[in-house]
Amino acid sequence: MTDQTATFTAAAKAGADIANTRKVFIKTYGCQMNVYDSVRMGDALASDGYVTTDSMEEADLVLLNTCHIREKAADKVYSALGRLRDMKKERAANGREMMIGVAGCVAQAEGEEILRRAPAVDVVIGPQTYHRLPQALKRARAGERVIETDYAVEDKFEHLPKVDKAATRLRGVTAFLTVQEGCDKFCTFCVVPYTRGSEVSRPLAQIVDEASRLVEGGVREITLLGQNVNAWHGAGPKGEAWGLGDLLYRLAEIPGLARLRYTTSHPRDMDDRLIEAHRDLRALMPYLHLPVQAGSDRILKAMNRRHTAADYLRLIERIRTARPDIALSGDFIVGFPGETDADFEDTLRLVETVGYAQAYSFKYSTRPGTPGADLGAQVEEHVKGERLERLQALLLKQQQDFAESCVGKIIDLLLEKPGRMPDQLIGRSPWLQSVNLDAKASQIGDIVSVRIIAAGPNSLFAERTER
C-alpha cells in the first residue's frame, strides 16, 4: 500500500435536511483501503444524522482516519490532534460543541495512549469496528470517552448501510471496494497483522451486490482492495472454492462495469487462475502492483517474505507471458536491519531486471511490536538516505522511460475529472497514469480513444483519435 495522505469528502445524501443535521469532516491518512473506509464511515454516520463537509471549521465532528505503517504517519496524527484541541477549546468558549474522533490503524494500535496524550479526543475506534460509530458517538455525547478497538465478532460490512446509488453519482466514476482485510504473512517490518488482524474475505454475494450498486450509481471502474487482496477466497455459486481470479471473472460480467483493478498483492498468492484472468479479461487493466520489498535473498528471509528474488522474477516472467503489455509497480524498503552494500546492490539488480512503470520506496522505520524492531544491526540513517536516493533515481528513470514509451500509442482513456485548464479533463490510462485531454465536463465517465502525444513529469498528454 502507498504512504499518501488525502482528505476525503463523501457526498451528502441526496435530499438530506441539512438544517437538522450535524456535519462531519473526515481526514484520511495512508492507503486506498483507508480511503474506502472513510467513505463507509461517512455512510455509517449518515444514519446518525451527519452529513459530510469539506470544511473542518464548520464540522461538528472531526474524524481522523489514521495510518500506522510508518512512524511519521503516527506523528502527523498527534500533531493534528494538538491543533484540533485548540480548535475545540475555541469552539467551547463560543458555546459550540465539537467532537474529535480517531479511527484507523493508529487508533487500533495506540487506543489508550491516544486518550492519555490527547485528552480532547472523544472517540477512538478501530478499522474493524467503525460500523459502531453512531453508538460510540452517542456514548461520547453522554460524557464517556470511548475506545472501540476489540476485533468485532460480527461482520462489519453486514452492519454498514447499503451503498447509496444517489451518493455514488456524486462521488465520481471510479470507486474502491474492499474485498479482503488483514494479513497472515507476518512480515517482520509490518504492523498490519496487529492493526488489521488476520486475513478475512468478504462473501461473494456481498461483493457482487456492492459492485452492482456502484455501477448503477455511475461507476465505470472498480479497484478491489485488500491488505493482501490476492489471498481473497470464498465459495462460488455452487459452493466450490473460489479465489480472486474467479471473483474477477464474475465481476467482469456486471453490465456497465468497464474496468477492474486490484491492490495490494503478495507474490505467494499470485496463482494460475489470477494470471489467467489477466490473460482473458479485457476489463482487467494491464497494471499490477506486486511488492517485493528487497532483492537480496538474505534480507527477504529476514523480512519473512517466504520467497526468493528468483521466485519473484519467475513469477514476473509468467505474468508477462500471459499479458505482455502489463505495467508493473512495486514497493521497496531500504536499510532493513542487517542490510549490507551487497544486499542493496541485489535490490538494484532486481529493479533493473524487472523494469517498473511505477514504484514506492521508503527507508526502513521500526514499528513497535513488530519483530523487526528487536533486530540488531540497525542501518545508520545517513546510509539509508544514500541508498534511498540511488534507488529512487533508478525507479524515477524507469517511470519516465515507461511514460516516454507510451508516446504515439492509441489507448482507451477513462475521463474522470476536470483538469487545471478550462475545457480540459484528466483521465486514467490502462496503466494508471494521469492523462490530460481537451474535453468537455459532460464527457466525464466516457471512455474515449486517444493518442498519447507527450509525456510530462507526472502525467501524459493526449489528443482524440477517430477510432
Short mmCIF file of all heavy atoms in Angstrom, two decimals, residues 13-56:
data_model
loop_
_atom_site.label_atom_id
_atom_site.label_comp_id
_atom_site.label_asym_id
_atom_site.label_seq_id
_atom_site.Cartn_x
_atom_site.Cartn_y
_atom_site.Cartn_z
N LYS A 13 -25.97 12.95 1.45
CA LYS A 13 -27.12 12.21 0.96
C LYS A 13 -28.06 13.13 0.20
O LYS A 13 -28.37 14.24 0.66
CB LYS A 13 -27.88 11.56 2.13
CG LYS A 13 -27.07 10.52 2.89
CD LYS A 13 -26.94 9.24 2.13
CE LYS A 13 -26.23 8.18 2.94
NZ LYS A 13 -26.08 6.93 2.22
N ALA A 14 -28.52 12.66 -0.96
CA ALA A 14 -29.43 13.48 -1.76
C ALA A 14 -30.70 13.75 -0.96
O ALA A 14 -31.30 12.86 -0.38
CB ALA A 14 -29.77 12.77 -3.06
N GLY A 15 -31.07 15.01 -0.93
CA GLY A 15 -32.30 15.39 -0.26
C GLY A 15 -32.21 15.47 1.25
O GLY A 15 -33.22 15.59 1.93
N ALA A 16 -31.00 15.39 1.84
CA ALA A 16 -30.86 15.45 3.30
C ALA A 16 -31.30 16.83 3.81
O ALA A 16 -31.06 17.84 3.18
CB ALA A 16 -29.41 15.18 3.68
N ASP A 17 -31.92 16.83 4.97
CA ASP A 17 -32.35 18.09 5.57
C ASP A 17 -31.16 18.65 6.35
O ASP A 17 -30.99 18.40 7.54
CB ASP A 17 -33.54 17.84 6.49
CG ASP A 17 -34.09 19.13 7.08
OD1 ASP A 17 -33.56 20.21 6.75
OD2 ASP A 17 -35.02 19.04 7.90
N ILE A 18 -30.30 19.44 5.66
CA ILE A 18 -29.04 19.88 6.25
C ILE A 18 -29.27 20.73 7.49
O ILE A 18 -28.47 20.73 8.42
CB ILE A 18 -28.21 20.63 5.19
CG1 ILE A 18 -27.84 19.65 4.08
CG2 ILE A 18 -26.97 21.26 5.79
CD1 ILE A 18 -27.09 20.29 2.93
N ALA A 19 -30.36 21.47 7.54
CA ALA A 19 -30.60 22.33 8.68
C ALA A 19 -30.73 21.55 9.98
O ALA A 19 -30.50 22.07 11.06
CB ALA A 19 -31.86 23.15 8.44
N ASN A 20 -31.13 20.29 9.91
CA ASN A 20 -31.35 19.48 11.10
C ASN A 20 -30.29 18.39 11.27
O ASN A 20 -30.53 17.40 11.93
CB ASN A 20 -32.75 18.83 11.04
CG ASN A 20 -33.83 19.88 11.05
OD1 ASN A 20 -33.76 20.85 11.78
ND2 ASN A 20 -34.85 19.69 10.21
N THR A 21 -29.14 18.56 10.67
CA THR A 21 -28.11 17.54 10.74
C THR A 21 -26.82 18.11 11.30
O THR A 21 -26.59 19.31 11.28
CB THR A 21 -27.82 16.94 9.36
OG1 THR A 21 -27.46 18.00 8.47
CG2 THR A 21 -29.02 16.21 8.80
N ARG A 22 -25.98 17.20 11.79
CA ARG A 22 -24.63 17.56 12.18
C ARG A 22 -23.72 17.38 10.97
O ARG A 22 -24.05 16.67 10.03
CB ARG A 22 -24.15 16.67 13.33
CG ARG A 22 -25.03 16.70 14.58
CD ARG A 22 -24.44 15.80 15.66
NE ARG A 22 -25.24 15.79 16.86
CZ ARG A 22 -26.18 14.89 17.13
NH1 ARG A 22 -26.42 13.92 16.26
NH2 ARG A 22 -26.87 14.93 18.24
N LYS A 23 -22.53 17.98 11.05
CA LYS A 23 -21.58 17.88 9.95
C LYS A 23 -20.31 17.21 10.42
O LYS A 23 -19.83 17.46 11.53
CB LYS A 23 -21.27 19.27 9.38
CG LYS A 23 -22.47 19.94 8.72
CD LYS A 23 -22.11 21.29 8.14
CE LYS A 23 -23.33 21.95 7.49
NZ LYS A 23 -23.00 23.27 6.91
N VAL A 24 -19.76 16.35 9.56
CA VAL A 24 -18.53 15.63 9.88
C VAL A 24 -17.48 15.91 8.81
O VAL A 24 -17.78 15.92 7.61
CB VAL A 24 -18.77 14.11 10.01
CG1 VAL A 24 -19.39 13.51 8.76
CG2 VAL A 24 -17.46 13.38 10.35
N PHE A 25 -16.27 16.15 9.26
CA PHE A 25 -15.11 16.29 8.38
C PHE A 25 -14.21 15.09 8.62
O PHE A 25 -13.82 14.82 9.76
CB PHE A 25 -14.36 17.59 8.70
CG PHE A 25 -13.08 17.77 7.92
CD1 PHE A 25 -13.08 18.42 6.69
CD2 PHE A 25 -11.87 17.31 8.42
CE1 PHE A 25 -11.90 18.60 5.98
CE2 PHE A 25 -10.68 17.49 7.72
CZ PHE A 25 -10.71 18.13 6.49
N ILE A 26 -13.91 14.35 7.56
CA ILE A 26 -13.08 13.15 7.68
C ILE A 26 -11.76 13.37 6.96
O ILE A 26 -11.76 13.64 5.75
CB ILE A 26 -13.80 11.91 7.10
CG1 ILE A 26 -15.17 11.72 7.75
CG2 ILE A 26 -12.94 10.65 7.32
CD1 ILE A 26 -15.98 10.58 7.15
N LYS A 27 -10.66 13.26 7.69
CA LYS A 27 -9.34 13.36 7.08
C LYS A 27 -8.72 11.97 7.04
O LYS A 27 -8.67 11.27 8.05
CB LYS A 27 -8.43 14.32 7.84
CG LYS A 27 -7.07 14.50 7.16
CD LYS A 27 -6.23 15.58 7.82
CE LYS A 27 -4.87 15.73 7.15
NZ LYS A 27 -4.97 16.17 5.74
N THR A 28 -8.24 11.59 5.87
CA THR A 28 -7.75 10.24 5.64
C THR A 28 -6.25 10.24 5.44
O THR A 28 -5.73 10.98 4.62
CB THR A 28 -8.42 9.63 4.40
OG1 THR A 28 -9.82 9.74 4.53
CG2 THR A 28 -8.03 8.16 4.24
N TYR A 29 -5.57 9.40 6.21
CA TYR A 29 -4.14 9.18 6.05
C TYR A 29 -3.92 7.77 5.49
O TYR A 29 -4.64 6.84 5.84
CB TYR A 29 -3.42 9.27 7.39
CG TYR A 29 -3.53 10.59 8.10
CD1 TYR A 29 -4.64 10.88 8.88
CD2 TYR A 29 -2.52 11.54 8.03
CE1 TYR A 29 -4.75 12.08 9.56
CE2 TYR A 29 -2.62 12.75 8.71
CZ TYR A 29 -3.73 13.01 9.47
OH TYR A 29 -3.84 14.20 10.13
N GLY A 30 -2.90 7.62 4.63
CA GLY A 30 -2.46 6.28 4.28
C GLY A 30 -3.01 5.73 3.00
O GLY A 30 -3.10 6.42 1.98
N CYS A 31 -3.42 4.47 3.06
CA CYS A 31 -3.63 3.65 1.88
C CYS A 31 -5.02 3.80 1.29
O CYS A 31 -5.90 4.45 1.86
CB CYS A 31 -3.39 2.18 2.22
SG CYS A 31 -4.59 1.53 3.41
N GLN A 32 -5.21 3.16 0.14
CA GLN A 32 -6.51 3.19 -0.54
C GLN A 32 -7.61 2.57 0.32
O GLN A 32 -8.77 2.97 0.24
CB GLN A 32 -6.44 2.45 -1.88
CG GLN A 32 -5.50 3.10 -2.88
CD GLN A 32 -4.14 2.41 -2.90
OE1 GLN A 32 -3.65 1.94 -1.89
NE2 GLN A 32 -3.54 2.34 -4.09
N MET A 33 -7.24 1.57 1.14
CA MET A 33 -8.26 0.96 1.98
C MET A 33 -8.78 1.96 3.00
O MET A 33 -9.98 1.96 3.34
CB MET A 33 -7.74 -0.29 2.67
CG MET A 33 -8.82 -1.05 3.40
SD MET A 33 -8.27 -2.63 4.03
CE MET A 33 -8.15 -3.54 2.50
N ASN A 34 -7.91 2.83 3.49
CA ASN A 34 -8.38 3.87 4.40
C ASN A 34 -9.33 4.84 3.69
O ASN A 34 -10.27 5.34 4.28
CB ASN A 34 -7.20 4.63 5.00
CG ASN A 34 -6.73 4.01 6.31
OD1 ASN A 34 -7.11 2.90 6.65
ND2 ASN A 34 -5.92 4.74 7.05
N VAL A 35 -9.06 5.11 2.41
CA VAL A 35 -9.96 5.96 1.64
C VAL A 35 -11.34 5.30 1.56
O VAL A 35 -12.37 5.94 1.78
CB VAL A 35 -9.40 6.23 0.23
CG1 VAL A 35 -10.41 7.02 -0.61
CG2 VAL A 35 -8.07 6.98 0.31
N TYR A 36 -11.34 4.00 1.25
CA TYR A 36 -12.62 3.26 1.21
C TYR A 36 -13.30 3.30 2.57
O TYR A 36 -14.51 3.55 2.68
CB TYR A 36 -12.36 1.81 0.80
CG TYR A 36 -13.59 0.93 0.90
CD1 TYR A 36 -14.50 0.85 -0.14
CD2 TYR A 36 -13.83 0.18 2.05
CE1 TYR A 36 -15.64 0.04 -0.04
CE2 TYR A 36 -14.95 -0.63 2.16
CZ TYR A 36 -15.86 -0.69 1.11
OH TYR A 36 -16.97 -1.49 1.22
N ASP A 37 -12.53 3.06 3.65
CA ASP A 37 -13.11 3.06 4.99
C ASP A 37 -13.72 4.42 5.32
O ASP A 37 -14.76 4.49 5.99
CB ASP A 37 -12.05 2.70 6.03
CG ASP A 37 -11.68 1.22 6.00
OD1 ASP A 37 -12.41 0.43 5.38
OD2 ASP A 37 -10.66 0.86 6.62
N SER A 38 -13.08 5.49 4.88
CA SER A 38 -13.63 6.82 5.14
C SER A 38 -14.98 7.01 4.45
O SER A 38 -15.91 7.59 5.02
CB SER A 38 -12.64 7.90 4.68
OG SER A 38 -11.50 7.94 5.51
N VAL A 39 -15.08 6.52 3.22
CA VAL A 39 -16.36 6.57 2.52
C VAL A 39 -17.43 5.84 3.32
O VAL A 39 -18.54 6.35 3.54
CB VAL A 39 -16.24 5.95 1.11
CG1 VAL A 39 -17.62 5.87 0.44
CG2 VAL A 39 -15.28 6.74 0.25
N ARG A 40 -17.10 4.65 3.79
CA ARG A 40 -18.08 3.83 4.50
C ARG A 40 -18.38 4.40 5.89
O ARG A 40 -19.50 4.25 6.40
CB ARG A 40 -17.59 2.38 4.60
CG ARG A 40 -17.32 1.74 3.25
CD ARG A 40 -18.58 1.74 2.38
NE ARG A 40 -19.43 0.59 2.69
CZ ARG A 40 -20.75 0.64 2.78
NH1 ARG A 40 -21.39 1.79 2.63
NH2 ARG A 40 -21.43 -0.45 3.04
N MET A 41 -17.39 5.05 6.53
CA MET A 41 -17.68 5.72 7.79
C MET A 41 -18.68 6.85 7.57
O MET A 41 -19.58 7.08 8.39
CB MET A 41 -16.40 6.25 8.43
CG MET A 41 -15.61 5.18 9.18
SD MET A 41 -14.25 5.85 10.13
CE MET A 41 -12.92 5.61 8.98
N GLY A 42 -18.51 7.57 6.46
CA GLY A 42 -19.48 8.60 6.12
C GLY A 42 -20.87 8.02 5.94
O GLY A 42 -21.87 8.60 6.38
N ASP A 43 -20.95 6.84 5.32
CA ASP A 43 -22.24 6.17 5.15
C ASP A 43 -22.85 5.80 6.50
O ASP A 43 -24.05 5.98 6.73
CB ASP A 43 -22.08 4.90 4.30
CG ASP A 43 -21.71 5.20 2.86
OD1 ASP A 43 -21.92 6.35 2.41
OD2 ASP A 43 -21.18 4.30 2.18
N ALA A 44 -22.00 5.26 7.41
CA ALA A 44 -22.49 4.87 8.73
C ALA A 44 -22.98 6.08 9.52
O ALA A 44 -24.01 6.02 10.21
CB ALA A 44 -21.40 4.13 9.50
N LEU A 45 -22.25 7.18 9.42
CA LEU A 45 -22.62 8.38 10.17
C LEU A 45 -23.89 9.04 9.63
O LEU A 45 -24.58 9.74 10.36
CB LEU A 45 -21.46 9.38 10.16
CG LEU A 45 -20.26 8.98 11.01
CD1 LEU A 45 -19.07 9.89 10.72
CD2 LEU A 45 -20.62 9.01 12.49
N ALA A 46 -24.18 8.82 8.36
CA ALA A 46 -25.41 9.37 7.79
C ALA A 46 -26.63 8.88 8.55
O ALA A 46 -27.62 9.61 8.71
CB ALA A 46 -25.50 9.01 6.31
N SER A 47 -26.56 7.63 9.03
CA SER A 47 -27.69 7.09 9.79
C SER A 47 -27.82 7.73 11.16
O SER A 47 -28.84 7.58 11.83
CB SER A 47 -27.52 5.56 9.95
OG SER A 47 -26.39 5.27 10.77
N ASP A 48 -26.78 8.46 11.59
CA ASP A 48 -26.80 9.17 12.88
C ASP A 48 -27.05 10.66 12.68
O ASP A 48 -26.84 11.46 13.59
CB ASP A 48 -25.48 8.95 13.61
CG ASP A 48 -25.55 9.32 15.08
OD1 ASP A 48 -26.61 9.08 15.70
OD2 ASP A 48 -24.56 9.85 15.62
N GLY A 49 -27.47 11.05 11.46
CA GLY A 49 -27.83 12.43 11.21
C GLY A 49 -26.70 13.32 10.77
O GLY A 49 -26.83 14.56 10.80
N TYR A 50 -25.57 12.74 10.35
CA TYR A 50 -24.44 13.53 9.90
C TYR A 50 -24.43 13.65 8.38
O TYR A 50 -24.77 12.70 7.66
CB TYR A 50 -23.12 12.90 10.33
CG TYR A 50 -22.76 13.13 11.79
CD1 TYR A 50 -23.14 12.22 12.75
CD2 TYR A 50 -22.03 14.24 12.17
CE1 TYR A 50 -22.81 12.41 14.09
CE2 TYR A 50 -21.68 14.44 13.50
CZ TYR A 50 -22.08 13.52 14.45
OH TYR A 50 -21.73 13.72 15.78
N VAL A 51 -24.01 14.81 7.90
CA VAL A 51 -23.63 14.96 6.51
C VAL A 51 -22.17 15.38 6.49
O VAL A 51 -21.67 15.98 7.43
CB VAL A 51 -24.48 16.01 5.76
CG1 VAL A 51 -25.92 15.56 5.66
CG2 VAL A 51 -24.38 17.38 6.43
N THR A 52 -21.46 15.03 5.43
CA THR A 52 -20.04 15.32 5.36
C THR A 52 -19.80 16.72 4.81
O THR A 52 -20.60 17.26 4.04
CB THR A 52 -19.31 14.29 4.49
OG1 THR A 52 -19.96 14.21 3.23
CG2 THR A 52 -19.32 12.93 5.15
N THR A 53 -18.69 17.30 5.21
CA THR A 53 -18.31 18.63 4.78
C THR A 53 -16.83 18.64 4.44
O THR A 53 -16.06 17.85 4.99
CB THR A 53 -18.59 19.67 5.88
OG1 THR A 53 -18.10 20.95 5.45
CG2 THR A 53 -17.91 19.31 7.19
N ASP A 54 -16.45 19.53 3.53
CA ASP A 54 -15.03 19.66 3.21
C ASP A 54 -14.38 20.81 3.99
O ASP A 54 -13.25 21.18 3.73
CB ASP A 54 -14.83 19.87 1.70
CG ASP A 54 -15.55 21.10 1.19
OD1 ASP A 54 -16.18 21.82 1.98
OD2 ASP A 54 -15.48 21.35 -0.03
N SER A 55 -15.11 21.34 4.97
CA SER A 55 -14.59 22.42 5.81
C SER A 55 -14.48 21.95 7.25
O SER A 55 -15.49 21.70 7.91
CB SER A 55 -15.50 23.65 5.73
OG SER A 55 -15.12 24.62 6.68
N MET A 56 -13.26 21.84 7.75
CA MET A 56 -13.06 21.45 9.14
C MET A 56 -13.68 22.47 10.09
O MET A 56 -14.20 22.12 11.16
CB MET A 56 -11.56 21.29 9.43
CG MET A 56 -11.25 20.78 10.82
SD MET A 56 -9.47 20.68 11.17
CE MET A 56 -8.95 19.42 10.01
#
